[in-house]
Amino acid sequence: GRCGEIWGDMSSAPPETLVLRFDPHPTPVAARWVAAVRHCQAAGLGIKYKRRCYSFPRDARTPASVAADIAASVEVLNAHEPGVVSADLLPAALRPAPEAAAASTKAQSKAAGMPLVVVAVPVAPPPALSAAAEDATEESVAAVGATVAAAEDAASTELSQEQLNGLHKRFEVLRGSIEAPAPFFACAPPPVQEALQDFNLHIHRLEDLHRQVERLAMGKRPTPRIVVAFDPRRPRTPLSDGEMRHFTVRMEFGAVYLNYCVVGKHLMELFQDDDEDECGDENVRPQRTMSADAQCYFGPSMSEEEAAQKLSDFHDWLRASPHRRRSWCPLEQQQLALGRIPVAALDRSHPSIAGLSEEQIVDKIADFQELCSLRVVPHARLQQRPGP
């Protein structure tokens, strides 16, 4: 398929490649990020997940398909250790049949974490009422309606945010922190470790799909983004107090931000997910480290007023949260690590996108939703390359 290369060099790019260039900000934290990317480049640490593009046009993924992906990951985890993720956390239509679960348990030693596909078969629509049934009483019609509603509920693959919070809690427990992995993750074979990581990514993708539906319902534009996550062996280093001051909730089109390279949830994510109960305090982890991982944002830029309102809404939520969470209230924004740290900006003059509007840029990227690389190349070499 066609792929996109971020910060790339057209001299080595296949013809079906889109190159996007970003100029680093003149800040120490941006310089450190560039150095981290250079390190990955020199060490041969490539991008781990090539298809972490979210909310671009023509994405074939749907809430139902991503929910099925979550269920498939759960099957792999439970095949390795039965019941490690309760089937009750999934909609009924995505739970394996009892005989399938038994077979999966018997075959767990043989499965060794091989991906299992869960197919949710939709329930056929109810047959039309016969002529005789037209004379049925209101009670019997109501009974038929209740039966159909129950069948539709059983066929639903929809996962609510509350359910997703519960599933993410299981991920946190099974994964542990990067510094101190949980026994399940530490002892699992690589295919099961991958299934657990995928489980987390599928949860966040479904949350993103839900948010985009809400935005569209409010007449707002989607917020496409690309997440670049390198090989997990890439170094992570602490952020200094000065670097922490660069956190902002004001997102801007074409900006590159440090990605959240921590297992758990930061406070703004907790707020967005309205996760009061599932995420234990030990898993609330404001970002304190950085790596080469980045997030490229292609949604509409947020105004100063919108950013101020978002912060106000967050602090209102925090003050009303359970008592154990209110200890965060006196802390300054830099200690709370709200938002993200910007490190680079899209070069709109580069030949690959010169003259295009924001919407046209998004539409163009939509045809290149597989990442080739994120590399640092000399500025002059990029200037010399013709557009695709």
Side-chain angles (χ1 to χ4, degrees):
R2 310 169 85 189
C3 64
E5 183 167 21
I6 301 173
W7 212 322
D9 174 7
M10 283 296 293
S11 62
S12 61
E16 290 283 299
T17 298
L18 172 67
V19 173
L20 298 175
R21 190 183 92 184
F22 295 86
D23 295 323
H25 291 321
T27 60
V29 67
R32 280 223 296 143
W33 175 70
V34 170
V37 175
R38 284 189 187 278
H39 172 84
C40 289
Q41 193 174 324
L45 301 176
I47 296 174
K48 172 71 172 174
Y49 302 101
K50 301 276 188 175
R51 300 190 64 83
R52 289 192 66 186
C53 300
Y54 297 82
S55 306
F56 283 90
R58 300 182 293 285
D59 187 342
R61 282 168 289 223
T62 65
S65 72
V66 178
D69 290 337
I70 291 173
S73 296
V74 169
E75 279 289 284
V76 175
L77 300 174
N78 284 339
H80 176 67
E81 185 174 320
V84 73
V85 179
S86 171
D88 292 341
L89 293 171
L90 295 172
L94 290 178
R95 297 172 194 165
E99 60 272 15
S104 174
T105 300
K106 287 180 183 177
Q108 62 172 309
S109 59
K110 200 177 294 184
M114 292 295 289
L116 304 177
V117 179
V118 177
V119 179
V121 181
V123 173
L129 290 174
S130 65
E134 291 179 3
D135 295 330
T137 63
E138 289 185 5
E139 289 78 7
S140 63
V141 171
V144 170
T147 302
V148 172
E152 289 176 345
D153 184 61
S156 173
T157 61
E158 185 170 340
L159 281 160
S160 67
Q161 183 60 59
E162 183 177 3
Q163 288 172 304
L164 290 172
N165 290 342
L167 289 168
H168 195 270
K169 171 66 174 179
R170 289 307 300 154
F171 164 73
E172 293 165 351
V173 169
L174 296 174
R175 175 61 180 86
S177 67
I178 294 175
E179 297 79 10
F184 177 90
F185 184 82
C187 299
V192 177
Q193 291 182 339
E194 287 294 318
L196 184 60
Q197 303 285 35
D198 289 342
F199 178 50
N200 177 51
L201 296 181
H202 295 324
I203 290 170
H204 290 305
R205 186 174 290 281
L206 188 49
E207 289 174 331
D208 184 77
L209 285 172
H210 286 171
R211 290 193 190 105
Q212 302 311 317
V213 169
E214 292 172 2
R215 288 185 65 85
L216 290 173
M218 294 186 289
K220 296 182 177 180
R221 281 166 48 192
T223 54
R225 59 197 171 95
I226 298 170
V227 176
V228 183
F230 284 92
D231 185 301
R233 291 173 294 178
R234 85 279 187 260
R236 295 161 64 250
T237 56
L239 289 164
S240 70
D241 289 343
E243 290 167 340
M244 294 283 289
R245 283 195 281 271
H246 289 280
F247 272 102
T248 177
V249 299
R250 188 184 178 194
M251 305 295 280
E252 295 189 70
F253 179 88
V256 178
Y257 301 89
L258 294 180
N259 199 44
Y260 182 69
C261 54
V262 185
V263 175
K265 286 189 176 186
H266 53 79
L267 284 161
M268 189 58 74
E269 186 178 14
L270 210 67
F271 163 60
Q272 291 172 334
D273 296 346
D274 195 22
D275 191 352
E276 293 282 17
D277 303 314
E278 297 294 348
C279 186
D281 289 0
E282 70 280 5
N283 292 311
V284 180
R285 298 189 177 108
Q287 186 168 356
R288 298 280 188 264
T289 58
M290 64 168 288
S291 69
D293 294 359
Q295 186 169 136
C296 312
Y297 177 78
F298 293 97
S301 295
M302 186 181 286
S303 68
E304 292 282 5
E305 292 75 21
E306 288 172 321
Q309 185 61 55
K310 186 169 185 175
L311 281 176
S312 176
D313 292 344
F314 167 80
H315 286 290
D316 288 345
W317 170 85
L318 188 60
R319 281 190 289 270
S321 66
H323 178 72
R324 65 184 188 279
R325 297 262 162 85
R326 291 181 201 150
S327 61
W328 297 97
C329 289
L331 298 181
E332 297 178 13
Q333 182 177 334
Q334 69 186 65
Q335 294 170 294
L336 295 175
L338 301 180
R340 299 189 182 277
I341 295 179
V343 290
L346 180 66
D347 180 2
R348 300 280 291 269
S349 69
H350 189 260
S352 63
I353 56 170
L356 299 184
S357 67
E358 292 183 2
E359 290 84 355
Q360 289 170 326
I361 292 172
V362 167
D363 194 70
K364 187 167 187 175
I365 295 173
D367 292 328
F368 299 85
Q369 293 194 45
E370 182 175 334
L371 299 173
C372 295
S373 64
L374 187 154
R375 299 186 289 146
V376 178
V377 297
H379 188 275
R381 286 171 64 189
L382 278 172
Q383 291 283 35
Q384 292 166 5
R385 305 312 307 174

